Amino acid sequence: MADYGEEQRNELEALESIYPDSFTVLAEKPPSFTITVTSEAGENDETVQTTLKFTYPEKYPDEVPLYELLSQENLEDGDVTDILKLLLAQAEENLGMVMIFTLVSAVQEKLNEIVDQIKTRREEEKKQKEKEAEEAEKHCFHGTPVTIENFLSWKARFDAELLEIKRKRMKEEEQSGKNKLTGKQLFETDHNLDTSDIQFLEEVGNSVEVDESLFQEMDDLELEDEEDDPDYNPVHLDSD
C-alpha cells in the first residue's frame, strides 16, 4: 500500500530547496502551497510572471493535484488559458509520479515562449507601422487618381460649399442694409448734423492765411493794350 503522506512530505522538502525565494506553504492539511514562476528577461528586459497554487488531494500522486493561477503579470487572457491547458496535459501524462517540479518547469518554458512571442509581435507591429507610413507617404506624392465618379463627387461638394458661401454673403448684405440709416434717419437721430458743415467752414475760414508774396504788384505785370494788338478791330466790337 502506497504511503501518500510520505511522498508528499518528501516532495515538499525538495520543492522548498529548489525554489527557496518563491515557494510558500499556505496550509498543511491538506498540503497547499504556491510557487511564483518568472520568465527570463526579454530583449527590453520585459518579463511575464504567474503565481501557481497547488493543493494535494489525499491520494496524490495517483490523483491529479489541484492547481490554479493566483496572479499574473503581463499575461493576456489567451496566455492564461494556454497555461491551464498545459498543466492539465502534463498532470495527466505524469499521473502516478510526484510531478510538481515537472509542472512548474513546463510553465517556466511556456513563459519564456510568451516573452519571445511578445518580441516577435512588437517587431511585426513595428514593420506594419513602417509599411503604413510608407503607403501614406506614397499616397501624398501620387495623390488619388481622378475618375469621373470621384470628380463628380468633388464637384457636388464644391458647388454645395460655394452655394452656402453665397447664401451667407447675401444674408450678411441683407442684414447690413437693414442696419444702414437713411439721410433722414441720420438727421432725426443727430440734430447737430445740419450745422456741423457750416461750423466747420467758419472754423477753417478763420484759420486760413494768405501768402501775399505769391502775388506780384499789378504795375509789374506786362499787360498788352488792346490797341497795340495788331488783330484789334473796333468794328467787330461795335457789331457785337
Side-chain angles (χ1 to χ4, degrees):
M1 183 177 177
D3 188 351
Y4 298 115
E6 183 67 21
E7 288 187 83
Q8 294 172 11
R9 285 190 295 272
N10 291 338
E11 185 179 40
L12 287 173
E13 291 177 2
L15 293 173
E16 188 174 7
S17 63
I18 296 172
Y19 307 105
D21 298 328
S22 59
F23 177 84
T24 303
V25 175
L26 300 178
E28 295 182 357
K29 292 184 180 181
S32 180
F33 54 92
T34 62
I35 298 176
T36 299
V37 188
T38 305
S39 70
E40 296 176 356
E43 186 178 43
N44 298 320
D45 294 330
E46 68 272 12
T47 61
V48 292
Q49 178 179 288
T50 184
T51 297
L52 304 173
K53 177 184 177 182
F54 296 99
T55 301
Y56 288 151
E58 183 180 355
K59 294 182 179 181
Y60 173 83
D62 288 337
E63 293 179 355
V64 174
L66 303 177
Y67 53 84
E68 62 179 300
L69 274 64
L70 285 185
S71 64
Q72 57 86 13
E73 291 183 9
N74 302 326
L75 291 176
E76 297 182 358
D77 293 341
D79 298 328
V80 173
T81 300
D82 291 341
I83 291 173
L84 293 174
K85 290 179 179 179
L86 175 64
L87 288 170
L88 177 59
Q90 289 292 320
E92 292 177 346
E93 182 178 339
N94 293 275
L95 193 61
M97 299 179 292
V98 289
M99 64 182 77
I100 301 302
F101 176 77
T102 302
L103 299 182
V104 173
S105 298
V107 172
Q108 177 76 61
E109 292 179 5
K110 182 64 178 178
L111 296 183
N112 293 338
E113 292 178 4
I114 292 173
V115 170
D116 292 338
Q117 291 172 2
I118 292 175
K119 176 184 175 182
T120 302
R121 185 163 57 246
R122 286 178 178 175
E123 290 176 350
E124 292 176 351
E125 291 175 353
K126 181 180 178 181
K127 290 180 181 179
Q128 182 63 27
K129 289 181 180 179
E130 292 175 351
K131 182 178 179 180
E132 292 175 356
E134 291 177 359
E135 292 295 332
E137 186 176 358
K138 290 180 181 179
H139 183 74
C140 291
F141 282 106
H142 295 289
T144 303
V146 177
T147 64
I148 295 177
E149 290 77 8
N150 60 29
F151 172 76
L152 292 176
S153 177
W154 168 83
K155 188 175 185 304
R157 294 195 302 270
F158 176 79
D159 291 342
E161 292 175 0
L162 187 61
L163 181 60
E164 183 64 23
I165 293 174
K166 289 182 177 179
R167 287 177 178 174
K168 289 183 179 179
R169 186 175 299 171
M170 292 176 63
K171 185 175 181 180
E172 291 175 357
E173 292 177 353
E174 181 181 353
Q175 187 67 30
S176 177
K178 290 181 179 179
N179 295 334
K180 186 176 180 181
L181 298 177
T182 64
K184 181 179 180 181
Q185 290 173 328
L186 286 173
F187 278 108
E188 289 177 348
T189 55
D190 187 355
H191 297 290
N192 295 322
L193 290 176
D194 55 348
T195 60
S196 59
D197 289 347
I198 297 174
Q199 182 179 359
F200 171 76
L201 291 175
E202 291 177 350
E203 292 177 354
V204 172
N206 294 333
S207 61
V208 174
E209 296 180 358
V210 178
D211 186 356
E212 297 179 358
S213 64
L214 296 177
F215 301 91
Q216 298 180 1
E217 294 290 340
M218 295 297 296
D219 296 339
D220 294 336
L221 295 177
E222 294 181 0
L223 300 177
E224 293 183 355
D225 189 3
E226 292 181 350
E227 296 181 354
D228 296 335
D229 186 355
D231 296 328
Y232 173 73
N233 189 346
V235 176
H236 294 163
L237 296 176
D238 294 337
S239 62
D240 293 341

